[in-house]
Every structure is written in C-alpha cells, then in structure tokens.
Amino acid sequence: MNRKITLLLVSVFTLALSTPSHAFWNLFKSSYTKTKYPIVLAHGMAGFDNLGPLDYWYQIPNQLRKDGAKVFVTQVSSFESSEVRGEQLLRQVEEILAITGAAKVNLIGHSHGAQSIRYVAGVIPHRIASATSVGGPNKGSPAADLLMQASGLPVIGSPATGVLTSVVDGFGWLIGFGAGEKLPQDSYAGLQSLTSAGAAAFNAKFPAGVPTSSCGEGAYSVNGVRYFSWSGTGAMTNLFDVSAYAMAGTGLAFVGKSDWRNDGLVGRCSSRLGKVIRDNYYMDHLDEVNQILGLVSIFEANPKSVFRQHANRLKKAGL
C-alpha cells in the first residue's frame, strides 16, 4: 500500500513539473456548474447588477463561476413595463451572444425579471437554451393589485398616482445612477405589469411555459426553449434581516386569496412556470437571491446551493 501511495505521489509531482501551472490546477477544478451555454441573470423590480458593495445576486454569480459556469449579470430599468424591460434585456443578450460566440444562453430571471426573460425567449427562441423563473409573478401579484387600487386614492386633492410615481421613478433613477446606468423609469407601468390583469395581458403575448390550470405546471419545452421555475413560501426567515419584516407586511395582501401561500410578494401558484423544481422553499422573496447580504434561513437550503444545483441540472440536460 505504501509503495502504491509513493508511486502516486511521484506521478502527481512529475505531472505538476511537466504541465503549465494553470493547466495543472485546472485538472482539479470542479466543473459542477459548467453549462454548455452561458448563464444570464435578469434582476427584478427595483433591482440592479451591483450598487456599490451590494450585489443584487449576492455571492451567487461567483459561486456559479467557481465551478465552471460563464455568468453574465444584466441591468435593465428598475421600474418599467415588462415589454420595455424585456427589450432592454434582449439587446444585452444579443451583445452577450456576440461577445462569447455562444449559440445560445440560459436565462434566469428573478421576480419581474421572469417576464423579461420570457419576453426574450419569445422573441429569439432559437438563441435561448432555457428560461428559469425564480419567484416570478407569472400570473400577477395581489400585492401589486392592492398597490394599484391604493394609487387612485386622493392625496391633498390630487391623485396619489402622480405623487407616488414621481417619487418611485426618482428612486429608480438613483438606483440606476448608482449602478452606472442611465435608463428610463416608469414605476406606474411597472406596477401595472405585475397586477393580475397586466400579467394576463403579457401572458396572452408570451404564453410559453405558463400553466393553463390554476396551479399546475406549464409546458416543459416550447420552440426548443426549456422552461423551469422555483420559489419560496417563507415568512420571517431571519429575524436579523430587516427586509424580512417588510416581506411579512406585504404578505398580508394574500390573506383570503386562493393562492394564499406566498414569499411576501408572489403567490406559490403564480410563481409556477414550465417544470416546477420546487415552490415551497422556506425563503421570502429576497431570500431567493440571497438577500439581504446572505441573511437567510439556516433551516433551508442556501440560495447559492439552489442556484448551483440548477446550473448542474442544466449541464446534465446538455444546456
């Protein structure tokens, strides 16, 4: 046994001396997340690629890259309609395809980003390998419905809509400015897109992967594009996370609804698209992308692991 170990060590040492250092260490590098096609991440409403030290996809891109994936993080308007955001993402995807020379890309969209990737998959399906919705309001959100109703209330004799949208649009501009982008902002159009009626109108144009039943699965593959989804139904998942309290508050909009189990902003059934990986992770809406700063539940799979597992799933599927 000792002789075999000695021979093995000598062989490894000899290989190390005869191989360039980068190539040698690549022999031991994991390829767990090395998908055939690049992965493109699309953020949700009020999102960004990075804002100073804060990453929207906190630590997720690096976790994917570490084990072989090529990952691109995109930036669209923080607040805009699904179609406008989708067109912005389309242009970036076309740039990524040109830069990498890849035949296709794998799209992953969180929250409102789910509509963005579905738009792109609908416009250029021949260049898209897969589209994955993470906590996407694919059939709208009662929280958006409630906000839309509230926007019509009078504020000092004027509709609240004008006041609120001006403030929120300014906030969106600040997010974009901090992220190094100058993009148009229209929070009212964005809110409309996420209502039940707005989502239904979008689904009529881009139905691929959307379940036809109230809480079923959608088509797994449409026009050569594979569709997947996952989401959470957690509340107050980490008491040290200030955003958890906000998600618990917005989750009250689902009281009395048929799709009452939710992540704070999106109902379990609404989140479903194509093949449902899982729709009941103990995660709230921001936990799904490891926010804020990784303060998520210690009693559930870590979001970074969920993304890594999905990349491996895509790899195994030849995507």
Side-chain angles (χ1 to χ4, degrees), residues 85-141:
R85 285 165 52 93
E87 191 63 26
Q88 292 172 348
L89 179 62
L90 173 62
R91 292 196 292 269
Q92 292 177 65
V93 168
E94 289 174 335
E95 290 177 4
I96 292 167
L97 287 166
I99 291 170
T100 61
K104 299 182 179 184
V105 294
N106 291 297
L107 300 174
I108 300 179
H110 174 244
S111 191
H112 200 185
Q115 275 85 339
S116 302
I117 65 169
R118 289 172 51 205
Y119 178 96
V120 175
V123 174
I124 54 168
H126 60 292
R127 304 304 303 271
I128 308 302
S130 69
T132 302
S133 167
V134 180
N138 295 300
K139 291 189 176 180
S141 169

Side-chain angles (χ1 to χ4, degrees), residues 47-267:
F48 46 88
D49 49 6
N50 59 75
L51 194 60
L54 182 62
D55 294 328
Y56 182 89
W57 308 87
Y58 187 65
Q59 297 182 340
I60 291 170
N62 285 340
Q63 282 292 314
L64 296 175
R65 292 177 182 129
K66 184 178 71 174
D67 290 327
K70 288 184 179 179
V71 183
F72 293 85
V73 180
T74 58
Q75 170 79 54
V76 300
S77 293
S78 295
F79 301 98
E80 257 295 358
S81 70
S82 297
E83 289 80 3
V84 169
R85 285 165 52 93
E87 191 63 26
Q88 292 172 348
L89 179 62
L90 173 62
R91 292 196 292 269
Q92 292 177 65
V93 168
E94 289 174 335
E95 290 177 4
I96 292 167
L97 287 166
I99 291 170
T100 61
K104 299 182 179 184
V105 294
N106 291 297
L107 300 174
I108 300 179
H110 174 244
S111 191
H112 200 185
Q115 275 85 339
S116 302
I117 65 169
R118 289 172 51 205
Y119 178 96
V120 175
V123 174
I124 54 168
H126 60 292
R127 304 304 303 271
I128 308 302
S130 69
T132 302
S133 167
V134 180
N138 295 300
K139 291 189 176 180
S141 169
D145 291 340
L146 189 61
L147 282 172
M148 183 59 72
Q149 293 171 13
S151 70
L153 297 176
V155 175
I156 317 179
S158 301
T161 303
V163 177
L164 292 174
T165 54
S166 295
V167 172
V168 178
D169 289 351
F171 177 64
W173 183 88
L174 285 174
I175 292 175
F177 179 78
E181 298 285 354
K182 295 181 180 179
L183 295 166
Q185 306 293 333
D186 190 339
S187 56
Y188 190 70
L191 181 61
Q192 283 182 314
S193 291
L194 298 181
T195 62
S196 301
F202 183 80
N203 292 345
K205 300 176 186 176
F206 302 96
V210 179
T212 55
S213 62
S214 61
C215 200
E217 288 188 301
Y220 287 10
S221 180
V222 181
N223 293 329
V225 181
R226 297 280 299 275
Y227 287 88
F228 302 91
S229 62
W230 77 75
S231 60
T233 54
M236 296 306 297
T237 55
N238 190 313
L239 296 179
F240 295 101
D241 180 5
V242 293
S243 71
Y245 298 88
M247 292 296 100
T250 53
L252 295 175
F254 293 82
V255 174
K257 304 294 182 182
S258 57
D259 190 13
W260 60 272
R261 287 168 290 186
N262 67 89
D263 63 6
L265 286 175
V266 178

Side-chain angles (χ1 to χ4, degrees), residues 8-30:
L8 177 62
L9 291 174
V10 169
S11 299
V12 171
F13 183 68
T14 303
L15 181 62
L17 291 177
S18 60
T19 308
S21 59
H22 66 279
F24 174 74
W25 290 113
N26 281 341
L27 295 173
F28 300 94
K29 189 175 181 179
S30 170

